[in-house]
Amino acid sequence: MLSFIIRRMAVAIPTLLVLLVASFYLMQFAPGGPFTSERPLPPQVLENIEAKYGLNEPTWKQLVNYVGGIVTEFDFGPSYKYKDRSVNDIIAQGFPVTLTYGTISFLFAIVIGGALGIAAAIRQNSWLDYFAVGITIGAQVLPNFVMAPILILIFSLWLGWLPGGGWNGGQWNHVIMPVIALSTSYMASIARLTRSSMLEVLRSNFIRTARAKGLPERTIIWRHALKPSILPVVSYLGPAFVGMVTGSFIIDSIFSTGGIGYFYVNAAFNRDYAVMMGLTILLGSMTIMFNMVVDILYAWIDPKIRL
Amino acid sequence: MSQGLSSFNPQQPKTAAMGERMAEVKGRSLWADARKRFVQNKAAMASVVILVLILLFAFFGHYLTPYDNETIDWNVLGNVKTEGKPSLANQHYFGFDDSGRDLFSRVVQGTQISLMVGLVGALIAVLVGTVYGAVAGYVGGRVDSAMMRFVDIAMSIPYMFVLILLLVVFGRSIVMLFVGIGLTAWLDMSRIVRGQTLSIKNKEFIEAAVATGVPTFTIIRRHIVPNLLGVVAVYATLLVPQMILTESFISFLGLGVQEPLTSWGALISEGVSTMNYGTLWQLFFPLGFFVVSIFAFFFIGDGLRDALDPKDR
């Protein structure tokens, strides 16, 4: 187990470094510095500003300073666009929002998707099964940026039941639509995965043995079939997490929820490289870590993986 | 999938006797079988028809309308809701967009870009991924583990961030979009191809080729790659909609193709932003094209997979 964890980290740590160095040097390539504007600053002023932000030092030293700041003080540096606001302020403002609807969506996708998949497998070829399969096929073509406008159209514009945007401190009626829009396609994938693996498990020998010795169906499913059939779902959690992080860009821009995604997209438009880099590194390393944890979890749960 | 089977040609019998036997038992090659199974799959066949129609629409759509995608009708601008409705009478079949441009020709243009991104992205993935995976799988050993470790690392970088960074740093353009999508699209493909190569590598005909002294890269080119084509074809058809989804995602955020060019994602985005004004045709036409095409690609991919899966035989 330990050697597997070490081997897995041997992938994760270089990945983190590649992400860090690549995004840092990519920013150096960017045409125009952070302080180039339509009205050019006097060279003396520019020099002073650059000295203030440490931009006059050699690139490798800037990188070291930057990484040092993140590691020691969790400081992602200043925003070059809004002088009074640092990347940390943006994280503090946007992160709770993203975390709230992200976590709810994640749980929603797993619980509803898993339940739907299991139910469909147990009652194969019933109306419930057809319903589940229909949803999973439909949801493939309903990514968040298609789902969100349709939801707004129906529930805000036509029915007027839910507010079309805003966050309002995370009041329930502001959370519903972002969660549904963000989680539907992942819920569908999880339902499809659990359904097919459950079907496979139910046909396997040890389930036949359990049936033969006369166990009640309920015990067979909960005690014997459930655990092996949710395994593929565990390996899907990584991609689902990545999808939800990037999906938050869409959610924040359609529903004006003011999460991290809003700041990221805004920074991309304003060419606020410092903010983009900070958020890329934060969200990117979260993703890499999460994937690593999921892989280790998977290896730990699955008895078939020999370490 | 096996080249050996498909090159088995009943039309050229060695002897007359063999020829008679062949005529009785007609050879069923895997490809003929697969074709039969695919044609019987109604959803896949319907999807092929739909996709052909959409392709025709993308190529020849602009001959159907007298308007181009850039001219602004100043009479409509400002009251699109009342004046800009879709109508057959004035030949604005899909109505106007919010800037008073003909939506039909905009959708034609967007369809071109979206399909192009999907097809080119998949093509890059096929070319790079096949070569990379086949080399890694066939050569094996240290080279294989180094090459695959690189893929592992590249795959665990959240590529959407990299794509957006690239687009911001090097300017938002369609070329950059291709570069960014191409950078990551081949990774999955290379893994699949490598796995397949590993299983082909130990077959007798490869051994025979090695024994007769065929150089390594000729073996890969002539013997390994042709036998991979089935898997690659299935996976490539499933890649096209993924590429289109990625592009639409980026263009929806406004970071993809730039005006006056457009794509499904950008058009949907425009439709969403004008939804409140009651000009829903701006949303529904691009959305319809997007959803129908993605559906069609998925069904064709599934159909191909079922058709080429020898387990079913």
Side-chain angles (χ1 to χ4, degrees):
Chain A
M1 188 73 210
L2 192 69
S3 82
F4 177 78
I5 295 178
I6 292 171
R7 250 184 302 146
R8 190 58 188 77
M9 281 173 95
V11 175
I13 291 169
T15 314
L16 266 178
L17 284 178
V18 169
L19 179 73
L20 214 87
V21 175
S23 50
F24 192 85
Y25 275 92
L26 211 55
M27 290 305 165
Q28 307 293 322
F29 268 112
F35 305 110
T36 35
S37 54
E38 274 140 55
R39 203 157 46 94
L41 295 164
Q44 189 61 45
V45 176
L46 194 65
E47 215 169 274
N48 284 338
I49 296 182
E50 291 196 334
K52 185 188 167 219
Y53 287 109
L55 292 175
N56 51 354
E57 298 193 70
T59 316
W60 65 268
K61 202 157 181 216
Q62 288 183 39
L63 176 62
V64 170
N65 287 343
Y66 185 72
V67 176
I70 294 177
V71 174
T72 55
E73 297 167 47
F74 201 74
D75 176 15
F76 285 90
S79 156
Y80 294 141
K81 215 80 191 178
Y82 305 101
K83 306 285 179 297
D84 55 335
R85 191 197 262 171
S86 73
V87 179
N88 283 25
D89 294 337
I90 288 175
I91 293 172
Q93 195 185 337
F95 201 67
V97 175
T98 313
L99 195 66
T100 307
Y101 70 69
T103 313
I104 298 175
S105 307
F106 203 64
L107 294 177
F108 190 77
I110 295 173
V111 173
I112 306 281
L116 196 62
I118 291 170
I122 294 173
R123 309 237 177 285
Q124 198 191 359
N125 296 328
S126 68
W127 64 268
L128 186 73
D129 187 29
Y130 293 136
F131 172 73
V133 171
I135 282 191
T136 56
I137 294 176
Q140 275 184 325
V141 296
L142 294 176
N144 39 37
F145 60 88
V146 173
M147 199 66 196
I150 295 177
L151 285 175
I152 293 187
L153 197 64
I154 296 174
F155 292 106
S156 300
L157 291 182
W158 288 346
L159 297 177
W161 290 350
L162 294 167
W167 184 241
N168 201 11
Q171 215 182 350
W172 65 271
N173 54 358
H174 288 263
V175 183
I176 291 180
M177 284 201 292
V179 164
I180 294 177
L182 191 56
S183 60
T184 300
S185 63
Y186 303 99
M187 188 200 78
S189 298
I190 289 174
R192 198 176 56 224
L193 277 173
T194 18
R195 176 178 176 273
S196 62
S197 72
M198 189 72 164
L199 282 177
E200 211 181 305
V201 169
L202 285 178
R203 280 193 214 110
S204 61
N205 289 335
F206 72 96
I207 295 294
R208 200 183 309 133
T209 311
R211 289 221 171 99
K213 71 179 182 184
L215 286 183
E217 193 66 21
R218 184 185 298 268
T219 322
I220 293 175
I221 285 160
W222 290 109
R223 286 280 281 283
H224 298 280
L226 189 65
K227 198 179 150 196
S229 60
I230 53 169
L231 265 176
V233 179
V234 176
S235 65
Y236 183 70
L237 295 184
F241 182 82
V242 177
M244 289 200 186
V245 169
T246 47
S248 70
F249 299 173
I250 298 280
I251 298 302
D252 285 332
S253 57
I254 295 184
F255 292 108
S256 328
T257 30
I260 282 273
Y262 164 78
F263 294 103
Y264 192 83
V265 174
N266 231 17
F269 274 113
N270 291 334
R271 298 176 154 258
D272 194 343
Y273 301 129
V275 171
M276 281 195 76
M277 192 166 68
L279 294 182
T280 301
I281 289 170
L282 177 76
L283 297 175
S285 34
M286 274 174 57
T287 312
I288 292 169
M289 294 297 178
F290 188 87
N291 277 325
M292 191 179 79
V293 171
V294 164
D295 279 3
I296 293 174
L297 199 70
Y298 188 81
W300 184 56
I301 300 177
D302 189 357
K304 273 180 283 184
I305 293 183
R306 274 176 301 137
L307 300 167
Chain B
M1 244 163 281
S2 162
Q3 196 73 357
L5 276 174
S6 60
S7 64
F8 175 79
N9 190 342
Q11 257 68 55
Q12 289 182 324
K14 291 279 186 301
T15 66
M18 263 177 83
E20 274 168 37
R21 270 218 307 281
M22 296 271 173
E24 285 165 25
V25 187
K26 215 169 166 228
R28 284 195 315 167
S29 83
L30 188 113
W31 289 103
D33 250 16
R35 193 158 53 234
K36 203 175 127 215
R37 269 199 295 261
F38 187 80
V39 172
Q40 279 167 354
N41 185 334
K42 290 201 184 72
M45 284 312 284
S47 303
V48 170
V49 173
I50 287 170
L51 265 190
V52 168
L53 289 179
I54 289 176
L55 270 173
L56 288 176
F57 173 82
F59 277 116
F60 303 110
H62 54 272
Y63 293 118
L64 299 177
T65 169
Y67 308 100
D68 68 20
N69 59 327
E70 292 183 43
T71 314
I72 292 168
D73 191 330
W74 299 100
N75 296 323
V76 177
L77 195 64
N79 46 2
V80 177
K81 187 178 178 185
T82 48
E83 303 288 312
K85 286 200 179 89
S87 115
L88 290 177
N90 62 10
Q91 289 188 301
H92 288 287
Y93 311 115
F94 292 178
F96 288 85
D97 79 348
D98 208 43
S99 316
R101 291 172 291 189
D102 179 47
L103 192 60
F104 182 84
S105 51
R106 299 256 304 151
V107 173
V108 170
Q109 210 269 312
T111 307
Q112 284 171 359
I113 298 259
S114 286
L115 287 180
M116 191 168 72
V117 170
L119 295 173
V120 172
L123 191 70
I124 297 174
V126 167
L127 294 178
V128 180
T130 310
V131 172
Y132 194 93
V135 169
Y138 186 74
V139 176
R142 284 236 176 104
V143 179
D144 176 38
S145 57
M147 284 172 90
M148 282 301 124
R149 188 54 54 85
F150 175 75
V151 170
D152 283 349
I153 290 179
M155 272 186 98
S156 43
I157 293 177
Y159 77 101
M160 195 57 86
F161 292 104
V162 179
L163 186 52
I164 292 177
L165 278 183
L166 279 174
L167 286 167
V168 170
V169 170
F170 295 109
R172 304 196 281 264
S173 69
I174 188 112
V175 178
M176 220 43 234
L177 203 60
F178 279 132
V179 172
I181 287 178
L183 270 182
T184 53
W186 60 275
L187 294 169
D188 262 326
M189 184 67 104
S190 72
R191 272 192 178 173
I192 291 168
V193 167
R194 172 181 170 269
Q196 199 70 17
T197 308
L198 285 179
S199 68
I200 296 173
K201 197 168 112 176
N202 297 322
K203 296 265 164 70
E204 285 87 352
F205 68 97
I206 300 293
E207 214 173 304
V210 175
T212 50
V214 182
T216 305
F217 281 92
T218 317
I219 293 181
I220 292 176
R221 189 166 52 86
R222 291 286 298 278
H223 300 291
I224 301 271
V225 171
N227 284 303
L228 293 168
L229 285 181
V231 183
V232 171
V234 171
Y235 192 65
T237 23
L238 292 172
L239 255 181
V240 176
Q242 276 177 35
M243 298 291 117
I244 294 178
L245 278 169
T246 307
E247 190 277 333
S248 302
F249 183 94
I250 293 285
S251 289
F252 186 92
L253 292 175
L255 299 167
V257 288
Q258 298 296 304
E259 293 281 328
L261 294 181
T262 189
S263 76
W264 287 334
L267 286 168
I268 293 172
S269 172
E270 275 178 34
V272 171
S273 62
T274 56
M275 208 160 56
N276 287 332
Y277 311 139
T279 55
L280 285 180
W281 60 88
Q282 290 186 43
L283 178 62
F284 283 153
F285 283 112
L287 202 64
F289 273 87
F290 174 84
V291 168
V292 169
S293 319
I294 300 280
F295 247 131
F297 275 115
F298 275 131
F299 278 134
I300 292 175
D302 278 350
L304 273 181
R305 186 167 49 200
D306 292 346
L308 287 170
D309 192 351
K311 269 188 284 180
D312 271 8
R313 190 161 175 171

